[in-house]
Amino acid sequence: MPKSYSRIQRIGDLIQTALAEILQAHAKDLHCGMTTITSVKVSADLSFAKVYVSVLEDEKAVEIIAALNKATKFLRYELANTVELRVTPELKFFYDDSVVRGSRISSLINDALKKQ
């Protein structure tokens, strides 16, 4: 019987929680503003992690993602001190626009319902 929640998913969730705390503690130093880590996808060998980030200010999303990718060495160091893993994965940050798309779809549905 296959496991419904794999070790890689648990490690991704652990990294997501730890990075959220690190970003909250160092938000001003990293110039990342109001960011939310929406998900973390960890590779099978645990050497690489894609971190998906949602940004409150959409017009600054490119700048914030660039700032986070520039600070990956610092964030990886802090992550290694927070989470006990044999190998701390390399981090790569990506913009997650699912919240923006969701709100746009919701507003389109609301507009369509008002027209009926």
Side-chain angles (χ1 to χ4, degrees), residues 20-110:
E21 292 172 0
I22 292 168
L23 286 178
Q24 186 177 12
H26 300 283
K28 288 188 179 183
D29 300 335
L30 299 173
H31 305 291
C32 61
M34 289 293 295
T35 58
T36 303
I37 298 176
T38 56
S39 67
V40 176
K41 306 288 184 201
V42 182
S43 65
D45 63 353
L46 304 176
S47 64
F48 189 77
K50 292 181 179 180
V51 182
Y52 293 93
V53 178
S54 176
V55 179
L56 184 64
E57 304 169 39
D58 291 325
E59 57 277 351
K60 293 184 178 182
V62 175
E63 298 171 16
I64 291 172
I65 297 298
L68 289 172
N69 280 319
K70 187 177 178 183
T72 54
K73 288 182 181 179
F74 170 75
L75 292 171
R76 188 176 180 197
Y77 174 78
E78 290 293 322
L79 183 64
N81 288 334
T82 305
V83 179
E84 291 185 26
L85 293 173
R86 189 166 32 131
V87 176
T88 304
E90 291 183 39
L91 304 173
K92 179 74 175 167
F93 291 89
F94 297 95
Y95 178 62
D96 184 10
D97 64 345
S98 62
V99 174
V100 174
R101 284 187 287 135
S103 66
R104 182 175 176 268
I105 290 171
S106 177
S107 68
L108 289 173
I109 291 170
N110 290 337

